[in-house]
Amino acid sequence: MVIKIHKTADDLKISTPDLIARANGRMIYERVKKQLHRIDSGETVIIDFDGIKVIDSSFIDEFLVKVIMESTVKDSGFFVKLRNLSQSSELNIDSVFHTYSAYNNNKLVILTEDLCSNNNFFIGHLKNTSRDILHYLRLNRSGSIPDIVEFTGLGEDEIKKTMEELREMRLVRDENGGYYSGV
Amino acid sequence: MDQIKLNSSYVIENKLKDPYNFEDIIATHNERLEYVKELDMSKVNFIDPYSMLSLLLLGKKYLRDRGEKLILTNIPINIHQYLARMDFLKTGIFTVQDRLNEKLFLKRSNFSARVIEITEIPNKERESIKVISGIIELFRKRASHIMKFWLSDQVVGFFVTVISEICQNIFEHSLGSGYLAMQAYTMDRENMLRLVISDSGIGITRSFENRNDIEYKSEAELLEKALTTPISSKRKFGYGLCQVNTIVEKLNGAIFIRSGSASVTALYHRKKKGGSYMFFKNDLTDFDGVQISISLSG
């Protein structure tokens, strides 16, 4: 499913290209939440920011953080990816995630379709091993625990723990037969 | 003081050039404005956006306390033209004794699109968001003039974020209303950009009264915490002011924040050079609300 934020904002008569304020974030979240009820299990939701120049921290907190929270609820069954983010929006998201993670002891990371200014296809902070595994799965589409152990040179227990963290954060898919794949 | 009582007029000093200069005006206004009906502007030869908004807040307080408007007299023509151009006189806070001849009004040409005129930020969320969106729309239209020396999509995006975050703090935390003004100008051969957002609300210290978990030894220390760490008076943590500070640092700019009887100045262009860059002042004359000035120079 692709959610075009510009169109959603237009439908709600929210002025663009800049999306600011908590109230606007709440309105868009409520609209998007209704659409999320219609998605299939395991589906990837692409949130497309084409035509949006800046999203501020209040908007990010009320919209994006809530969508991510929703996706990480056990058995929610969907994944989220962002598309067409401006550099300013990317920096604001990174800043909000950094603060949120520091105060909640709960990492916030989101995948992107486009390469970000941090040279990754995600926004947020991940340890180097996790970052490398995401790159590996992006290039190789999938991999087993032994494959990833071989790639990283780390122990099986550590990799299992890391993969479980990434799965819980909805950054990788847990396939049947002990395989993981990128989103 | 007897002379002031007698004349019922106070000649305001030529100290409306920047936040630090204006501090002298604030320091004297409390006792003097009590006795005057008129502010004589004859000595003023320059007024910057920060001083203009602070003067507006002084006038607003006078109007609130006295129920009548302070009268501005002997305004030099260039200052009068500037105040008219910035919509200062439309705010209805002051009475102007001598009206400016319409032929002398500054034209609103592309050249003078280097400003965002004084805009009131209401204290109600819905109305406020509309106004802030309007300001941002206008800023984007005029960005090529206002940001002439710093122009890039990213810097414009940074300023959209800054305007949005600070203005939202007014209805979120101040319980009052505020004003915004922005201007690019040249002073002593230096290109300056100044964004000012000021309110007459409860101020930062009072807004944090219920956060007993946040410790600070002085008002200035609380201002610094509000600026450099993601604390919030309403939530577990906040993003706004801290995000603004990060952006100003990225731009090597300067930020001045004043609230109650304290101020903090961060001069980030000095940080790069390894010098002192953070300055604190406590025990200033008490002044309602929060006043923020962000400037770029070069």
Side-chain angles (χ1 to χ4, degrees), chain A residues 66-97:
Chain A
K66 285 185 178 170
V67 171
I68 295 171
M69 288 296 118
E70 187 106 348
S71 77
T72 55
V73 169
K74 208 174 179 187
D75 302 326
S76 70
F78 71 94
F79 298 86
V80 186
K81 258 182 159 177
L82 307 184
R83 178 191 282 171
N84 289 321
L85 275 176
S86 70
Q87 206 179 356
S88 298
S89 300
E90 196 189 305
L91 288 168
N92 288 348
I93 293 171
D94 188 56
S95 170
V96 167
F97 284 13

PDB file of all heavy atoms in Angstrom, chain A residues 66-97:
ATOM      1  N   LYS A  66       3.711   7.404  15.814  1.00  0.00           N
ATOM      2  CA  LYS A  66       2.536   6.559  16.105  1.00  0.00           C
ATOM      3  C   LYS A  66       2.370   5.434  15.073  1.00  0.00           C
ATOM      4  O   LYS A  66       1.985   4.327  15.436  1.00  0.00           O
ATOM      5  CB  LYS A  66       1.279   7.420  16.179  1.00  0.00           C
ATOM      6  CG  LYS A  66       1.205   8.214  17.468  1.00  0.00           C
ATOM      7  CD  LYS A  66      -0.076   8.965  17.576  1.00  0.00           C
ATOM      8  CE  LYS A  66      -0.120   9.721  18.913  1.00  0.00           C
ATOM      9  NZ  LYS A  66      -1.248  10.651  18.963  1.00  0.00           N
ATOM     10  N   VAL A  67       2.644   5.743  13.817  1.00  0.00           N
ATOM     11  CA  VAL A  67       2.544   4.687  12.786  1.00  0.00           C
ATOM     12  C   VAL A  67       3.576   3.593  13.076  1.00  0.00           C
ATOM     13  O   VAL A  67       3.274   2.400  12.996  1.00  0.00           O
ATOM     14  CB  VAL A  67       2.749   5.268  11.364  1.00  0.00           C
ATOM     15  CG1 VAL A  67       2.872   4.136  10.338  1.00  0.00           C
ATOM     16  CG2 VAL A  67       1.609   6.193  10.980  1.00  0.00           C
ATOM     17  N   ILE A  68       4.776   4.012  13.454  1.00  0.00           N
ATOM     18  CA  ILE A  68       5.821   3.013  13.756  1.00  0.00           C
ATOM     19  C   ILE A  68       5.412   2.175  14.967  1.00  0.00           C
ATOM     20  O   ILE A  68       5.539   0.949  14.970  1.00  0.00           O
ATOM     21  CB  ILE A  68       7.186   3.701  14.009  1.00  0.00           C
ATOM     22  CG1 ILE A  68       7.668   4.379  12.730  1.00  0.00           C
ATOM     23  CG2 ILE A  68       8.221   2.701  14.485  1.00  0.00           C
ATOM     24  CD1 ILE A  68       8.889   5.251  12.926  1.00  0.00           C
ATOM     25  N   MET A  69       4.893   2.852  15.976  1.00  0.00           N
ATOM     26  CA  MET A  69       4.446   2.141  17.177  1.00  0.00           C
ATOM     27  C   MET A  69       3.379   1.099  16.803  1.00  0.00           C
ATOM     28  O   MET A  69       3.410  -0.031  17.260  1.00  0.00           O
ATOM     29  CB  MET A  69       3.863   3.119  18.198  1.00  0.00           C
ATOM     30  CG  MET A  69       4.887   4.000  18.876  1.00  0.00           C
ATOM     31  SD  MET A  69       6.021   3.009  19.843  1.00  0.00           S
ATOM     32  CE  MET A  69       7.540   3.371  19.044  1.00  0.00           C
ATOM     33  N   GLU A  70       2.473   1.527  15.951  1.00  0.00           N
ATOM     34  CA  GLU A  70       1.400   0.632  15.504  1.00  0.00           C
ATOM     35  C   GLU A  70       1.977  -0.596  14.797  1.00  0.00           C
ATOM     36  O   GLU A  70       1.525  -1.707  14.990  1.00  0.00           O
ATOM     37  CB  GLU A  70       0.500   1.400  14.526  1.00  0.00           C
ATOM     38  CG  GLU A  70      -0.745   0.667  14.119  1.00  0.00           C
ATOM     39  CD  GLU A  70      -1.976   1.242  14.781  1.00  0.00           C
ATOM     40  OE1 GLU A  70      -1.844   2.042  15.715  1.00  0.00           O
ATOM     41  OE2 GLU A  70      -3.063   0.885  14.367  1.00  0.00           O
ATOM     42  N   SER A  71       3.018  -0.349  13.965  1.00  0.00           N
ATOM     43  CA  SER A  71       3.594  -1.469  13.200  1.00  0.00           C
ATOM     44  C   SER A  71       4.350  -2.449  14.088  1.00  0.00           C
ATOM     45  O   SER A  71       4.485  -3.621  13.750  1.00  0.00           O
ATOM     46  CB  SER A  71       4.517  -0.947  12.099  1.00  0.00           C
ATOM     47  OG  SER A  71       5.754  -0.535  12.649  1.00  0.00           O
ATOM     48  N   THR A  72       4.825  -1.953  15.232  1.00  0.00           N
ATOM     49  CA  THR A  72       5.618  -2.848  16.093  1.00  0.00           C
ATOM     50  C   THR A  72       4.775  -3.561  17.152  1.00  0.00           C
ATOM     51  O   THR A  72       5.294  -4.376  17.899  1.00  0.00           O
ATOM     52  CB  THR A  72       6.756  -2.071  16.811  1.00  0.00           C
ATOM     53  OG1 THR A  72       6.187  -0.979  17.510  1.00  0.00           O
ATOM     54  CG2 THR A  72       7.795  -1.559  15.840  1.00  0.00           C
ATOM     55  N   VAL A  73       3.490  -3.231  17.167  1.00  0.00           N
ATOM     56  CA  VAL A  73       2.615  -3.951  18.097  1.00  0.00           C
ATOM     57  C   VAL A  73       2.591  -5.411  17.654  1.00  0.00           C
ATOM     58  O   VAL A  73       2.496  -5.693  16.450  1.00  0.00           O
ATOM     59  CB  VAL A  73       1.176  -3.362  18.061  1.00  0.00           C
ATOM     60  CG1 VAL A  73       0.203  -4.258  18.819  1.00  0.00           C
ATOM     61  CG2 VAL A  73       1.174  -1.975  18.646  1.00  0.00           C
ATOM     62  N   LYS A  74       2.649  -6.308  18.626  1.00  0.00           N
ATOM     63  CA  LYS A  74       2.739  -7.735  18.306  1.00  0.00           C
ATOM     64  C   LYS A  74       1.586  -8.150  17.381  1.00  0.00           C
ATOM     65  O   LYS A  74       0.435  -7.774  17.607  1.00  0.00           O
ATOM     66  CB  LYS A  74       2.682  -8.545  19.610  1.00  0.00           C
ATOM     67  CG  LYS A  74       3.404  -9.870  19.495  1.00  0.00           C
ATOM     68  CD  LYS A  74       3.456 -10.580  20.824  1.00  0.00           C
ATOM     69  CE  LYS A  74       4.157 -11.908  20.636  1.00  0.00           C
ATOM     70  NZ  LYS A  74       4.101 -12.719  21.824  1.00  0.00           N
ATOM     71  N   ASP A  75       1.910  -8.872  16.342  1.00  0.00           N
ATOM     72  CA  ASP A  75       0.937  -9.377  15.374  1.00  0.00           C
ATOM     73  C   ASP A  75       0.253  -8.284  14.556  1.00  0.00           C
ATOM     74  O   ASP A  75      -0.815  -8.504  13.979  1.00  0.00           O
ATOM     75  CB  ASP A  75      -0.155 -10.235  16.066  1.00  0.00           C
ATOM     76  CG  ASP A  75       0.450 -11.408  16.810  1.00  0.00           C
ATOM     77  OD1 ASP A  75       1.471 -11.936  16.325  1.00  0.00           O
ATOM     78  OD2 ASP A  75      -0.100 -11.782  17.861  1.00  0.00           O
ATOM     79  N   SER A  76       0.822  -7.094  14.523  1.00  0.00           N
ATOM     80  CA  SER A  76       0.189  -6.046  13.716  1.00  0.00           C
ATOM     81  C   SER A  76       0.315  -6.391  12.232  1.00  0.00           C
ATOM     82  O   SER A  76      -0.536  -6.031  11.426  1.00  0.00           O
ATOM     83  CB  SER A  76       0.838  -4.685  13.980  1.00  0.00           C
ATOM     84  OG  SER A  76       2.133  -4.662  13.435  1.00  0.00           O
ATOM     85  N   GLY A  77       1.407  -7.069  11.901  1.00  0.00           N
ATOM     86  CA  GLY A  77       1.538  -7.628  10.560  1.00  0.00           C
ATOM     87  C   GLY A  77       1.888  -6.695   9.437  1.00  0.00           C
ATOM     88  O   GLY A  77       1.709  -7.046   8.277  1.00  0.00           O
ATOM     89  N   PHE A  78       2.365  -5.495   9.698  1.00  0.00           N
ATOM     90  CA  PHE A  78       2.782  -4.684   8.548  1.00  0.00           C
ATOM     91  C   PHE A  78       4.151  -4.032   8.787  1.00  0.00           C
ATOM     92  O   PHE A  78       4.639  -3.963   9.914  1.00  0.00           O
ATOM     93  CB  PHE A  78       1.715  -3.641   8.173  1.00  0.00           C
ATOM     94  CG  PHE A  78       1.554  -2.489   9.133  1.00  0.00           C
ATOM     95  CD1 PHE A  78       2.243  -1.293   8.920  1.00  0.00           C
ATOM     96  CD2 PHE A  78       0.701  -2.575  10.229  1.00  0.00           C
ATOM     97  CE1 PHE A  78       2.075  -0.225   9.784  1.00  0.00           C
ATOM     98  CE2 PHE A  78       0.529  -1.511  11.103  1.00  0.00           C
ATOM     99  CZ  PHE A  78       1.221  -0.319  10.884  1.00  0.00           C
ATOM    100  N   PHE A  79       4.714  -3.605   7.681  1.00  0.00           N
ATOM    101  CA  PHE A  79       6.030  -2.952   7.700  1.00  0.00           C
ATOM    102  C   PHE A  79       5.878  -1.545   7.114  1.00  0.00           C
ATOM    103  O   PHE A  79       4.947  -1.305   6.354  1.00  0.00           O
ATOM    104  CB  PHE A  79       7.037  -3.752   6.869  1.00  0.00           C
ATOM    105  CG  PHE A  79       7.273  -5.140   7.397  1.00  0.00           C
ATOM    106  CD1 PHE A  79       6.436  -6.198   7.022  1.00  0.00           C
ATOM    107  CD2 PHE A  79       8.313  -5.396   8.276  1.00  0.00           C
ATOM    108  CE1 PHE A  79       6.641  -7.473   7.521  1.00  0.00           C
ATOM    109  CE2 PHE A  79       8.519  -6.674   8.767  1.00  0.00           C
ATOM    110  CZ  PHE A  79       7.685  -7.721   8.403  1.00  0.00           C
ATOM    111  N   VAL A  80       6.796  -0.670   7.478  1.00  0.00           N
ATOM    112  CA  VAL A  80       6.691   0.719   6.995  1.00  0.00           C
ATOM    113  C   VAL A  80       7.993   1.134   6.316  1.00  0.00           C
ATOM    114  O   VAL A  80       9.092   0.832   6.804  1.00  0.00           O
ATOM    115  CB  VAL A  80       6.420   1.702   8.163  1.00  0.00           C
ATOM    116  CG1 VAL A  80       6.162   3.103   7.619  1.00  0.00           C
ATOM    117  CG2 VAL A  80       5.253   1.243   9.011  1.00  0.00           C
ATOM    118  N   LYS A  81       7.849   1.839   5.209  1.00  0.00           N
ATOM    119  CA  LYS A  81       9.006   2.418   4.513  1.00  0.00           C
ATOM    120  C   LYS A  81       8.635   3.826   4.066  1.00  0.00           C
ATOM    121  O   LYS A  81       7.476   4.073   3.706  1.00  0.00           O
ATOM    122  CB  LYS A  81       9.327   1.599   3.263  1.00  0.00           C
ATOM    123  CG  LYS A  81      10.488   0.667   3.409  1.00  0.00           C
ATOM    124  CD  LYS A  81      10.724  -0.042   2.104  1.00  0.00           C
ATOM    125  CE  LYS A  81      12.128  -0.582   2.030  1.00  0.00           C
ATOM    126  NZ  LYS A  81      12.358  -1.332   0.807  1.00  0.00           N
ATOM    127  N   LEU A  82       9.619   4.714   4.086  1.00  0.00           N
ATOM    128  CA  LEU A  82       9.360   6.086   3.653  1.00  0.00           C
ATOM    129  C   LEU A  82       9.953   6.320   2.260  1.00  0.00           C
ATOM    130  O   LEU A  82      10.976   5.733   1.919  1.00  0.00           O
ATOM    131  CB  LEU A  82       9.971   7.081   4.649  1.00  0.00           C
ATOM    132  CG  LEU A  82       9.597   6.901   6.120  1.00  0.00           C
ATOM    133  CD1 LEU A  82      10.211   8.030   6.944  1.00  0.00           C
ATOM    134  CD2 LEU A  82       8.089   6.870   6.311  1.00  0.00           C
ATOM    135  N   ARG A  83       9.298   7.203   1.534  1.00  0.00           N
ATOM    136  CA  ARG A  83       9.752   7.494   0.167  1.00  0.00           C
ATOM    137  C   ARG A  83       9.719   9.012  -0.057  1.00  0.00           C
ATOM    138  O   ARG A  83       8.864   9.703   0.493  1.00  0.00           O
ATOM    139  CB  ARG A  83       8.794   6.803  -0.806  1.00  0.00           C
ATOM    140  CG  ARG A  83       9.085   7.043  -2.258  1.00  0.00           C
ATOM    141  CD  ARG A  83       7.940   6.555  -3.134  1.00  0.00           C
ATOM    142  NE  ARG A  83       7.936   5.121  -3.323  1.00  0.00           N
ATOM    143  CZ  ARG A  83       6.930   4.453  -3.903  1.00  0.00           C
ATOM    144  NH1 ARG A  83       5.864   5.096  -4.320  1.00  0.00           N
ATOM    145  NH2 ARG A  83       6.991   3.145  -4.046  1.00  0.00           N
ATOM    146  N   ASN A  84      10.643   9.490  -0.889  1.00  0.00           N
ATOM    147  CA  ASN A  84      10.658  10.900  -1.313  1.00  0.00           C
ATOM    148  C   ASN A  84      10.748  11.908  -0.161  1.00  0.00           C
ATOM    149  O   ASN A  84      10.029  12.907  -0.129  1.00  0.00           O
ATOM    150  CB  ASN A  84       9.417  11.216  -2.160  1.00  0.00           C
ATOM    151  CG  ASN A  84       9.476  10.561  -3.512  1.00  0.00           C
ATOM    152  OD1 ASN A  84      10.547  10.500  -4.123  1.00  0.00           O
ATOM    153  ND2 ASN A  84       8.352  10.053  -3.983  1.00  0.00           N
ATOM    154  N   LEU A  85      11.630  11.620   0.778  1.00  0.00           N
ATOM    155  CA  LEU A  85      11.798  12.561   1.893  1.00  0.00           C
ATOM    156  C   LEU A  85      12.752  13.685   1.510  1.00  0.00           C
ATOM    157  O   LEU A  85      13.778  13.430   0.879  1.00  0.00           O
ATOM    158  CB  LEU A  85      12.418  11.838   3.087  1.00  0.00           C
ATOM    159  CG  LEU A  85      11.512  11.090   4.028  1.00  0.00           C
ATOM    160  CD1 LEU A  85      12.375  10.381   5.057  1.00  0.00           C
ATOM    161  CD2 LEU A  85      10.538  12.019   4.728  1.00  0.00           C
ATOM    162  N   SER A  86      12.434  14.901   1.885  1.00  0.00           N
ATOM    163  CA  SER A  86      13.377  15.999   1.677  1.00  0.00           C
ATOM    164  C   SER A  86      14.489  15.881   2.726  1.00  0.00           C
ATOM    165  O   SER A  86      14.312  15.211   3.762  1.00  0.00           O
ATOM    166  CB  SER A  86      12.676  17.347   1.824  1.00  0.00           C
ATOM    167  OG  SER A  86      12.322  17.549   3.176  1.00  0.00           O
ATOM    168  N   GLN A  87      15.583  16.558   2.464  1.00  0.00           N
ATOM    169  CA  GLN A  87      16.702  16.491   3.414  1.00  0.00           C
ATOM    170  C   GLN A  87      16.307  17.060   4.776  1.00  0.00           C
ATOM    171  O   GLN A  87      16.689  16.536   5.825  1.00  0.00           O
ATOM    172  CB  GLN A  87      17.889  17.254   2.837  1.00  0.00           C
ATOM    173  CG  GLN A  87      19.202  16.757   3.372  1.00  0.00           C
ATOM    174  CD  GLN A  87      20.386  17.496   2.776  1.00  0.00           C
ATOM    175  OE1 GLN A  87      20.223  18.341   1.901  1.00  0.00           O
ATOM    176  NE2 GLN A  87      21.571  17.184   3.252  1.00  0.00           N
ATOM    177  N   SER A  88      15.535  18.153   4.747  1.00  0.00           N
ATOM    178  CA  SER A  88      15.108  18.776   6.012  1.00  0.00           C
ATOM    179  C   SER A  88      14.237  17.812   6.817  1.00  0.00           C
ATOM    180  O   SER A  88      14.386  17.674   8.031  1.00  0.00           O
ATOM    181  CB  SER A  88      14.309  20.057   5.754  1.00  0.00           C
ATOM    182  OG  SER A  88      15.095  20.978   5.097  1.00  0.00           O
ATOM    183  N   SER A  89      13.314  17.149   6.115  1.00  0.00           N
ATOM    184  CA  SER A  89      12.426  16.201   6.811  1.00  0.00           C
ATOM    185  C   SER A  89      13.242  15.058   7.408  1.00  0.00           C
ATOM    186  O   SER A  89      13.008  14.624   8.536  1.00  0.00           O
ATOM    187  CB  SER A  89      11.384  15.649   5.848  1.00  0.00           C
ATOM    188  OG  SER A  89      10.607  16.697   5.333  1.00  0.00           O
ATOM    189  N   GLU A  90      14.205  14.598   6.612  1.00  0.00           N
ATOM    190  CA  GLU A  90      15.062  13.501   7.068  1.00  0.00           C
ATOM    191  C   GLU A  90      15.813  13.891   8.351  1.00  0.00           C
ATOM    192  O   GLU A  90      15.839  13.121   9.319  1.00  0.00           O
ATOM    193  CB  GLU A  90      16.052  13.236   5.936  1.00  0.00           C
ATOM    194  CG  GLU A  90      16.772  11.935   6.023  1.00  0.00           C
ATOM    195  CD  GLU A  90      17.870  11.904   4.963  1.00  0.00           C
ATOM    196  OE1 GLU A  90      17.570  12.103   3.771  1.00  0.00           O
ATOM    197  OE2 GLU A  90      19.023  11.696   5.353  1.00  0.00           O
ATOM    198  N   LEU A  91      16.344  15.102   8.359  1.00  0.00           N
ATOM    199  CA  LEU A  91      17.082  15.558   9.540  1.00  0.00           C
ATOM    200  C   LEU A  91      16.167  15.708  10.751  1.00  0.00           C
ATOM    201  O   LEU A  91      16.539  15.375  11.877  1.00  0.00           O
ATOM    202  CB  LEU A  91      17.769  16.902   9.247  1.00  0.00           C
ATOM    203  CG  LEU A  91      18.967  16.829   8.314  1.00  0.00           C
ATOM    204  CD1 LEU A  91      19.389  18.216   7.854  1.00  0.00           C
ATOM    205  CD2 LEU A  91      20.138  16.149   9.007  1.00  0.00           C
ATOM    206  N   ASN A  92      14.954  16.213  10.508  1.00  0.00           N
ATOM    207  CA  ASN A  92      14.017  16.371  11.624  1.00  0.00           C
ATOM    208  C   ASN A  92      13.580  15.016  12.184  1.00  0.00           C
ATOM    209  O   ASN A  92      13.459  14.849  13.400  1.00  0.00           O
ATOM    210  CB  ASN A  92      12.798  17.193  11.188  1.00  0.00           C
ATOM    211  CG  ASN A  92      13.142  18.667  11.001  1.00  0.00           C
ATOM    212  OD1 ASN A  92      14.209  19.120  11.407  1.00  0.00           O
ATOM    213  ND2 ASN A  92      12.261  19.420  10.376  1.00  0.00           N
ATOM    214  N   ILE A  93      13.370  14.060  11.291  1.00  0.00           N
ATOM    215  CA  ILE A  93      12.988  12.708  11.757  1.00  0.00           C
ATOM    216  C   ILE A  93      14.128  12.122  12.587  1.00  0.00           C
ATOM    217  O   ILE A  93      13.911  11.570  13.674  1.00  0.00           O
ATOM    218  CB  ILE A  93      12.658  11.776  10.563  1.00  0.00           C
ATOM    219  CG1 ILE A  93      11.386  12.241   9.850  1.00  0.00           C
ATOM    220  CG2 ILE A  93      12.486  10.331  11.037  1.00  0.00           C
ATOM    221  CD1 ILE A  93      11.109  11.515   8.533  1.00  0.00           C
ATOM    222  N   ASP A  94      15.339  12.262  12.085  1.00  0.00           N
ATOM    223  CA  ASP A  94      16.498  11.719  12.792  1.00  0.00           C
ATOM    224  C   ASP A  94      16.611  12.326  14.197  1.00  0.00           C
ATOM    225  O   ASP A  94      16.861  11.626  15.179  1.00  0.00           O
ATOM    226  CB  ASP A  94      17.767  11.999  11.983  1.00  0.00           C
ATOM    227  CG  ASP A  94      18.969  11.295  12.575  1.00  0.00           C
ATOM    228  OD1 ASP A  94      18.912  10.073  12.729  1.00  0.00           O
ATOM    229  OD2 ASP A  94      19.960  11.975  12.912  1.00  0.00           O
ATOM    230  N   SER A  95      16.379  13.640  14.268  1.00  0.00           N
ATOM    231  CA  SER A  95      16.484  14.328  15.560  1.00  0.00           C
ATOM    232  C   SER A  95      15.407  13.842  16.547  1.00  0.00           C
ATOM    233  O   SER A  95      15.683  13.595  17.723  1.00  0.00           O
ATOM    234  CB  SER A  95      16.363  15.833  15.303  1.00  0.00           C
ATOM    235  OG  SER A  95      16.232  16.519  16.487  1.00  0.00           O
ATOM    236  N   VAL A  96      14.185  13.705  16.037  1.00  0.00           N
ATOM    237  CA  VAL A  96      13.096  13.218  16.907  1.00  0.00           C
ATOM    238  C   VAL A  96      13.385  11.792  17.372  1.00  0.00           C
ATOM    239  O   VAL A  96      13.229  11.467  18.557  1.00  0.00           O
ATOM    240  CB  VAL A  96      11.738  13.281  16.149  1.00  0.00           C
ATOM    241  CG1 VAL A  96      10.657  12.503  16.891  1.00  0.00           C
ATOM    242  CG2 VAL A  96      11.305  14.732  15.963  1.00  0.00           C
ATOM    243  N   PHE A  97      13.830  10.933  16.462  1.00  0.00           N
ATOM    244  CA  PHE A  97      14.101   9.542  16.817  1.00  0.00           C
ATOM    245  C   PHE A  97      15.231   9.454  17.850  1.00  0.00           C
ATOM    246  O   PHE A  97      15.194   8.634  18.763  1.00  0.00           O
ATOM    247  CB  PHE A  97      14.495   8.734  15.571  1.00  0.00           C
ATOM    248  CG  PHE A  97      13.330   8.382  14.684  1.00  0.00           C
ATOM    249  CD1 PHE A  97      12.088   8.988  14.850  1.00  0.00           C
ATOM    250  CD2 PHE A  97      13.459   7.428  13.689  1.00  0.00           C
ATOM    251  CE1 PHE A  97      11.019   8.671  14.038  1.00  0.00           C
ATOM    252  CE2 PHE A  97      12.394   7.089  12.878  1.00  0.00           C
ATOM    253  CZ  PHE A  97      11.178   7.719  13.044  1.00  0.00           C
TER     254      PHE A  97
END
